[in-house]
């Protein structure tokens, strides 16, 4: 067994956790399913749909490391999810599978991801994405969003659209049918923060994978950190995702990685739902 672990996962466990919570911010709910062994994809899909969180993280031990996969509430597997990774790491520590002082390593579709405790924060170590400015398809993005952006970029997963003010981000009313026409996972709408409590604000939309507006999107903050780090000339920043629920994400830029920091809070699952899922 990997020396980072204190006990093996010997039975299925199902949990719900709010990630990137802060004062006045509810964060983003994620399902977390601990498994003693890998299961078929139909099982992951069925559980994720029943949990009805934006994403559910599935964890099992494989070749002396934790294998981590993410499925959306519509049953689609995604290649990267920050808030569900934060939630998964929190459960592994809180339930005694890993001691709080030890770093957790996950193997995923996006490579090896690490999670570490930093006081009451959990810090995730994610790949630093490349952002390519879009010029030849600028009109398509403008038509889909109904915005006149200051900058349009694209990463391997998402679009990044920069607008002129925090007020414009908050007031934005998306046409989800138009946004579905864009390829990729989703789109971040972002602006520089109006005050000093945080550095930038954002909202994230992914209707093509069944998530009209995501409460807090950790993975999108990797690209947000790269963009705003260049504009603000800062390596450490605080982002606020101004959804209805709201969430705070602490970001730190490294040479080829991005550190995402946030807090988690476990929430209750109805007993009947828990019993049903554990019977599958």
């Amino acid at each position: 067994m990997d020396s980072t672990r204190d006990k093996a996962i010997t039975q299925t466990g199902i949990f719900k956790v709010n990630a990137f919570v802060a004062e006045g911010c509810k964060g983003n709910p994620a399902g977390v399913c601990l498994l003693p062994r890998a299961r078929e994809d139909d099982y992951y899909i069925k559980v994720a749909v029943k949990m009805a969180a934006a994403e559910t993280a599935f964890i099992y031990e494989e070749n002396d490391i934790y294998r981590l996969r993410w499925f959306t509430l519509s049953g689609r597997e995604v290649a990267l999810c920050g808030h569900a990774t934060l939630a998964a790491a929190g459960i592994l520590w809180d339930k005694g599978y890993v001691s709080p002082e030890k770093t957790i390593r996950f193997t995923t579709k996006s490579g090896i991801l690490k999670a570490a405790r930093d006081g009451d924060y959990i810090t995730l170590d994610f790949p630093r994405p490349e952002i390519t400015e879009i010029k030849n398809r600028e009109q398509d993005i403008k038509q889909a969003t109904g915005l006149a952006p200051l900058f349009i970029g694209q990463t391997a997963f998402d679009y990044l659209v920069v607008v002129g003010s925090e007020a414009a981000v908050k007031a934005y009313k998306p046409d989800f049918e138009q946004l579905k026409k864009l390829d990729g996972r989703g789109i971040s709408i972002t602006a520089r923060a109006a005050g000093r409590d945080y550095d930038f604000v954002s909202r994230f939309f992914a209707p093509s994978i069944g998530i009209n507006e995501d409460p807090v999107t950790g993975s999108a903050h990797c690209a947000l950190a790269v963009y705003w780090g260049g504009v603000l000339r800062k390596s450490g920043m605080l982002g606020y995702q101004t959804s209805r629920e709201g969430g705070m994400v602490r970001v730190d830029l490294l040479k080829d990685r991005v550190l995402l920091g946030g807090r988690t809070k476990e929430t209750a699952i109805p007993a009947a739902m828990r019993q049903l899922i554990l019977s599958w």
Side-chain angles (χ1 to χ4, degrees):
M1 180 181 291
D2 190 317
S3 60
T4 62
R5 297 176 225 170
D6 291 317
K7 68 177 183 180
I9 301 172
T10 58
Q11 59 185 9
T12 301
I14 189 72
F15 310 92
K16 201 164 192 177
V17 180
N18 286 0
F20 298 112
V21 298
E23 185 176 353
C25 300
K26 294 181 179 178
N28 196 353
V32 177
C33 185
L34 304 184
L35 295 166
R37 59 178 177 83
R39 298 287 297 267
E40 63 283 357
D41 283 4
D42 285 349
Y43 172 84
Y44 303 136
I45 292 167
K46 185 165 66 170
V47 172
V49 170
K50 187 65 177 178
M51 287 295 289
E55 278 91 6
T56 294
F58 295 87
I59 309 163
Y60 53 90
E61 299 174 54
E62 181 181 77
N63 300 325
D64 293 329
I65 192 170
Y66 288 118
R67 175 72 175 171
L68 174 60
R69 297 175 69 179
W70 310 277
F71 285 77
T72 70
L73 74 171
S74 63
R76 178 171 174 176
E77 185 172 15
V78 293
L80 188 63
C81 179
H83 86 280
T85 305
L86 202 80
I91 287 296
L92 288 172
W93 281 309
D94 292 345
K95 304 305 177 185
Y97 292 96
V98 181
S99 297
E101 73 277 5
K102 295 179 181 178
T103 296
I104 299 173
R105 295 170 69 246
F106 298 108
T107 180
T108 77
K109 284 182 174 288
S110 293
I112 299 294
L113 305 179
K114 298 178 183 179
R117 282 281 191 189
D118 181 10
D120 60 348
Y121 272 81
I122 296 171
T123 299
L124 304 178
D125 182 335
F126 272 30
R128 177 171 173 154
E130 294 288 334
I131 301 176
T132 303
E133 185 174 5
I134 292 176
K135 292 183 178 179
N136 60 337
R137 293 186 55 218
E138 184 178 6
Q139 193 57 42
D140 293 343
I141 308 301
K142 288 181 178 179
Q143 182 176 344
T145 61
L147 295 168
L150 304 178
F151 173 87
I152 303 171
Q154 187 174 19
T155 70
F157 298 118
D158 307 312
Y159 290 97
L160 179 73
V161 173
V162 181
V163 296
S165 70
E166 179 175 327
V169 174
K170 291 180 176 179
Y172 178 58
K173 296 181 179 179
D175 182 331
F176 297 121
E177 291 305 314
Q178 287 294 323
L179 294 183
K180 280 181 181 179
K181 296 177 182 179
L182 297 174
D183 57 345
R185 181 184 66 165
I187 182 168
S188 288
I189 310 295
T190 184
R192 188 170 182 168
R196 296 183 177 181
D197 292 338
Y198 30 85
D199 295 283
F200 59 86
V201 300
S202 67
R203 291 169 68 191
F204 186 82
F205 309 97
S208 65
I209 62 169
I211 303 168
N212 281 344
E213 180 166 5
D214 198 33
V216 196
T217 317
S219 58
H221 275 75
C222 293
L224 291 165
V226 172
Y227 177 82
W228 288 112
V231 170
L232 302 177
R233 298 185 180 278
K234 297 174 73 173
S235 59
M237 293 163 285
L238 189 63
Y240 171 51
Q241 192 152 327
T242 177
S243 62
R244 179 182 59 189
E245 297 81 2
M248 289 286 190
V249 184
R250 189 175 67 185
V251 298
D252 290 283
L253 278 172
L254 305 180
K255 182 178 180 180
D256 59 353
R257 309 291 291 180
V258 178
L259 303 183
L260 305 175
R263 299 182 178 99
T264 63
K265 182 179 181 181
E266 186 178 354
T267 61
I269 297 175
M273 179 188 294
R274 179 187 297 276
Q275 184 176 358
L276 175 63
I277 291 173
L278 293 179
S279 71
W280 289 342

